[in-house]
Amino acid sequence: MDLLNTLVDKGLRRELPTREEALAVLATSDDDLLDVVAAAGKVRRQWFGRRVKLNYLVNLKSGLCPEDCSYCSQRLGSKAGILKYTWLKPDEASKAAAAGVAGGAKRVCLVASGRGPTDRDVDRVTKTIEAIKEQNEGVEVCACLGLLSDGQADRLRSAGADAYNHNLNTSEETYGAITTTHTYADRVETVQQAQAAGLSACSGLIAGMGESDKDLVDVVFALRDLDPDSVPVNFLIPFEGTPLAKEWNLTPQRCLRILAMVRFVCPDVEVRLAGGREVHLRSMQPLALHLVNSIFLGDYLTSEGQAGQTDLDMIADAGFEVEGQGTTTLPRHRADALSGGGCGSQGVPEAAGATGCGSHSGGGGCGSHEASGGGCGPCGGHGEPAPVDAGESVPAGAARTDLVAVRRRGAGTDLAPNA
């Protein structure tokens, strides 16, 4: 296809496609799907080789959020049967983080529900960051605490945080239909505060909330303008007990087209496959590895993910490799800009196969669709999963609610995390 050849050429040059080209990717047919994946895969390999970065979520504070984000199981008035608890102690959070690091995670994402942190909350998170870094040498830490006040990003950076996550989620035009307790502009401002403090910015989107193709292109182009180092792509899990509980709008093919569009628009950015991948991509998850270069390992904030070992097997079976701590995630031009000539500039090649000290370079963050005003982890589903009898078939394109389970293990429970 001429469209795909054009997009590959642009992606290899880091040239922005037109909005019409991005919309055309979303409009391609299922017959062309493998061609679309292959084309976007060339761009992914140019900048990231066959490496897959693993990230691990630690839910510092769960539920009871005062914000009204329609997609979030932790929102004001949510009836979802999720775990609810207040701040984990630093040693508890560090123990949870260690499970992810042991499973191969390079980055730990510290997430807390709420509109945004108080100064006392920042003090708590500072102690947690210090505990995690002391006990897990070389690990990257991303904070995801909601809307930031003046000076808080600088304090997190001084405490050792490498990155900050705050997602735009959807287009500016439709944001007010999803959330009323804060604005799209509030989210943009928080990302910019993180960048100004020298933190690696992470900001992404949620697909499947009933948005149009235009909305998807608008938010991805807005992200490109904002220029985060990492763009998490979430697929809505319609959580029972939330206003979007009936919004089952995604198929595996649709998800892959969205990921391909994001890769073409953000060719040299860490594109992370985040919440909802198990539910919506299902058996086609390995194909997504040709488009993204980063995933979450194991469980999410309020839903159980795929078993950590299954994730590792999937990566190996698909011919990819887990990115090690000694490898800088971002291409040299992005790592250099972030580090200001520091760790990211130590001999990092321009494109794939980069190696370096690995600090302040991952460009990641928690990035997922449970972000109320603050918390931002991939959410869960409809309570305990309904059993599927052996041999029972699921119609093509139908929602697989049997794959969704509320998280009942890991941080905040007496059960070991799934990593």
Side-chain angles (χ1 to χ4, degrees):
M1 298 176 66
D2 290 341
L3 168 68
L4 297 179
N5 291 333
T6 297
L7 289 171
V8 170
D9 289 343
K10 287 186 173 183
L12 299 183
R13 299 194 304 265
R14 292 190 290 134
E15 181 181 336
L16 185 66
T18 66
R19 290 176 181 270
E20 290 72 22
E21 288 167 341
L23 285 166
V25 173
L26 297 178
T28 54
S29 70
D30 288 350
D31 289 342
D32 294 325
L33 181 63
L34 290 180
D35 293 332
V36 172
V37 172
K42 292 179 182 178
V43 178
R44 180 248 200 266
R45 290 191 299 277
Q46 164 72 13
W47 301 111
F48 300 98
R50 302 189 74 83
R51 295 177 283 115
V52 179
K53 181 176 181 177
L54 299 181
N55 309 267
Y56 190 70
L57 287 162
V58 176
N59 196 2
L60 297 180
K61 182 166 74 77
S62 182
L64 306 175
C65 183
E67 303 298 287
D68 69 353
C69 306
S70 299
Y71 48 81
C72 184
S73 64
Q74 304 184 76
R75 72 188 298 273
L76 179 69
S78 170
K79 300 291 193 294
I82 63 169
L83 293 167
K84 300 179 180 67
Y85 53 86
T86 191
W87 291 92
L88 295 182
K89 294 181 173 60
D91 60 331
E92 295 172 324
S94 182
K95 182 178 179 181
V101 174
K106 182 177 178 178
R107 171 160 290 187
V108 172
C109 306
L110 303 177
V111 190
S113 64
R115 179 179 178 84
T118 64
D119 287 341
R120 184 182 178 189
D121 293 336
V122 174
D123 289 339
R124 289 190 180 99
V125 176
T126 292
K127 293 181 175 64
T128 298
I129 293 171
E130 292 170 349
I132 290 172
K133 292 226 166 187
E134 180 179 346
Q135 297 176 33
N136 300 279
E137 184 177 358
V139 71
E140 300 172 8
V141 175
C142 176
C144 179
L145 312 174
L147 300 172
L148 294 174
S149 301
D150 290 345
Q152 290 183 331
D154 294 295
R155 291 178 61 193
L156 291 168
R157 181 73 175 87
S158 297
D162 300 283
Y164 196 84
N165 167 267
H166 203 60
N167 295 328
L168 298 187
N169 290 328
T170 192
S171 69
E172 183 174 13
E173 183 177 348
T174 60
Y175 194 83
I178 299 298
T179 304
T180 67
T181 47
H182 60 270
T183 68
Y184 180 91
D186 291 333
R187 287 186 170 268
V188 170
E189 182 181 359
T190 284
V191 176
Q192 291 171 335
Q193 286 189 38
Q195 291 171 317
L199 291 165
S200 176
C202 172
S203 188
L205 66 142
I206 306 170
M209 297 191 290
E211 71 282 337
S212 66
D213 284 2
K214 178 182 178 297
D215 290 322
L216 286 171
V217 169
D218 282 351
V219 69
V220 175
F221 272 68
L223 288 165
R224 172 73 182 238
D225 290 342
L226 197 55
D227 198 30
D229 296 308
S230 175
V231 174
V233 180
N234 302 275
F235 300 112
L236 176 74
I237 302 176
F239 218 115
E240 188 173 317
T242 68
L244 298 183
K246 306 300 182 184
E247 294 288 338
W248 288 94
N249 301 310
L250 298 169
T251 65
Q253 294 80 7
R254 170 76 167 167
C255 292
L256 289 171
R257 281 190 284 269
I258 292 169
L259 292 170
M261 185 269 286
V262 174
R263 175 55 72 195
F264 285 130
V265 177
C266 305
D268 60 336
V269 167
E270 179 189 345
V271 177
R272 179 174 303 122
L273 182 56
R277 65 176 167 97
E278 298 88 347
V279 177
H280 294 295
L281 280 163
R282 305 193 285 274
S283 61
M284 294 178 74
Q285 289 182 72
L287 275 180
L289 296 178
H290 292 271
L291 307 170
V292 306
N293 62 292
S294 183
I295 66 170
F296 285 105
L297 178 72
D299 287 341
Y300 302 103
L301 294 183
T302 64
S303 69
E304 293 182 0
Q306 194 163 271
Q309 188 58 53
T310 301
D311 286 336
L312 298 176
D313 291 343
M314 176 181 72
I315 291 168
D317 289 347
F320 293 85
E321 61 183 21
V322 173
E323 181 176 293
Q325 288 187 350
T327 299
T328 301
T329 300
L330 297 174
R332 184 172 65 191
H333 58 275
R334 295 194 71 93
D336 284 355
L338 179 62
S339 66
C343 79
S345 62
Q346 298 179 15
V348 187
E350 176 69 18
T355 56
C357 74
S359 176
H360 308 316
S361 59
C366 68
S368 63
H369 78 265
E370 206 167 282
S372 198
C376 60
C379 67
H382 296 87
E384 295 305 316
V388 176
D389 295 334
E392 180 181 345
S393 62
V394 178
R400 284 290 301 274
T401 56
D402 58 291
L403 297 180
V404 181
V406 171
R407 186 176 68 80
R408 298 296 181 192
R409 58 195 176 201
T413 77
D414 295 327
L415 300 177
N418 175 25

